[in-house]
Amino acid sequence: RDLCCAGDVEVHQGEDKRIYLLDLARTFPAEDAQVTGHLPVVGQPVFYRMLRPELLHVIKTTSLLPPLSPDAFTGFSRGDPHAPQLERNSTNATLYLLNTVIPLFARDLSN
């Protein structure tokens, strides 16, 4: 079977024969820290500034972007010929959040 997930996710079969997933901290793709310059960069944002599942749901259900990878902007995609496109997709998702979702939310709050 195939499991599409971050490169550092571990899959184990327990003594009870059940399947367990470990190291799910990077389940969601990261935002592009290069386009969120208004936020401070501490350490490696790719490991803590993740796109929210609600945004990913909108992106998926509207076919706004192709599927995003949690490995974009990480060493796990180094050498992957698709890495530049994976990073562009995450950049576009971040721009959509900044330029569309947040302004709409602010407008709704002000009404």
Side-chain angles (χ1 to χ4, degrees):
R1 296 185 212 177
D2 290 334
L3 177 65
C4 298
C5 59
D8 51 348
V9 170
E10 298 178 26
V11 180
H12 298 275
Q13 184 174 17
E15 291 180 9
D16 60 1
K17 305 296 182 207
R18 293 170 52 182
I19 302 295
Y20 295 90
L21 297 175
L22 303 174
D23 296 336
L24 296 169
R26 292 186 322 100
T27 298
F28 300 110
E31 67 181 31
D32 183 348
Q34 299 289 330
V35 298
T36 53
H38 62 286
L39 298 174
V41 174
V42 178
Q44 298 177 336
V46 70
F47 295 115
Y48 64 87
R49 288 190 355 208
M50 307 294 168
L51 296 171
R52 294 203 39 93
E54 297 87 350
L55 176 67
L56 299 174
H57 179 74
V58 169
I59 289 171
K60 178 183 176 183
T61 58
T62 61
S63 300
L64 184 66
L65 293 167
L68 303 177
S69 172
D71 290 333
F73 310 116
T74 72
F76 289 102
S77 64
R78 191 174 300 124
D80 183 340
H82 303 292
Q85 184 60 50
L86 297 175
E87 290 182 4
R88 270 193 301 279
N89 294 344
S90 289
T91 297
N92 289 335
T94 304
L95 290 170
Y96 176 70
L97 173 65
L98 294 174
N99 298 330
T100 302
V101 175
I102 293 173
L104 286 173
F105 180 68
R107 187 195 69 202
D108 288 349
L109 282 178
S110 68
N111 289 336

